[in-house]
Amino acid sequence: MRRKWLGFALGVLGAVWLAGCGSGPVERSFDLEIADGVLAGGEAMLAVNQDDPVTIVIAANEPVLFHLHGYDIEVEAGSGAPGRIELTAEATGSFPFTVHAIADDHDENADDHDEDADDHDDDHDDDADDHEAEEVELGRLTVQPR
């Protein structure tokens, strides 16, 4: 009787081990909705396993630049033009995704920079500070080792 239980227990453990080791990549898809620079729909924490194929579709009510840090992928999204990221989750860890507002006045500011070199350097530094301030973290892509 004891051997039967031991055999049964070993069989169950072996099946669980094989099921865990035998699982391959799983396709993951996430839909995110950004409204006025904040996450309005979808999950803030996207959890996947290493080597999973991942698709992230980004809808936004205004033009934004969506940036997945760590993978260094950027895509524009806006009203009527969703952004789409497709990747294989090779790197493990927790990677923030952020948005930057895309201002419509980039061309107008270009004319302001032609006045003189010193003003140009100061304006450029101010623009860099403004750009940093506009970055908003919306959530994270967490990739677990397989």
Side-chain angles (χ1 to χ4, degrees):
M1 180 76 161
R2 188 174 180 179
R3 284 186 176 190
K4 284 185 179 180
W5 278 107
L6 182 61
F8 176 75
L10 288 174
V12 169
L13 287 174
V16 168
W17 180 77
L18 285 174
C21 291
S23 63
V26 176
E27 288 186 36
R28 305 290 189 151
S29 182
F30 302 97
D31 293 320
L32 303 178
E33 183 181 337
I34 301 166
D36 301 324
V38 297
L39 188 62
E43 297 293 322
M45 299 308 268
L46 312 180
V48 302
N49 292 316
Q50 188 175 21
D51 298 325
D52 284 350
V54 178
T55 301
I56 304 171
V57 178
I58 305 101
N61 68 337
E62 60 188 14
V64 296
L65 182 64
F66 183 92
H67 183 189
L68 177 58
H69 293 261
Y71 283 86
D72 292 326
I73 299 173
E74 292 183 335
V75 64
E76 290 185 16
S79 181
R84 183 180 188 89
I85 294 175
E86 294 181 358
L87 63 99
T88 299
E90 294 174 350
T92 59
S94 180
F95 308 100
F97 52 87
T98 61
V99 292
H100 307 267
I102 298 175
D104 291 333
D105 60 352
H106 279 99
D107 291 334
E108 293 172 17
N109 286 340
D111 292 337
D112 295 339
H113 295 298
D114 292 336
E115 293 181 15
D116 91 30
D118 291 334
D119 287 343
H120 173 72
D121 290 341
D122 291 340
D123 288 346
H124 179 69
D125 291 342
D126 291 342
D127 289 345
D129 292 340
D130 290 344
H131 181 70
E132 291 291 325
E134 293 174 4
E135 181 179 54
V136 177
E137 183 174 327
L138 300 179
R140 291 183 167 265
L141 172 68
T142 302
V143 182
Q144 296 293 324
R146 190 162 294 282

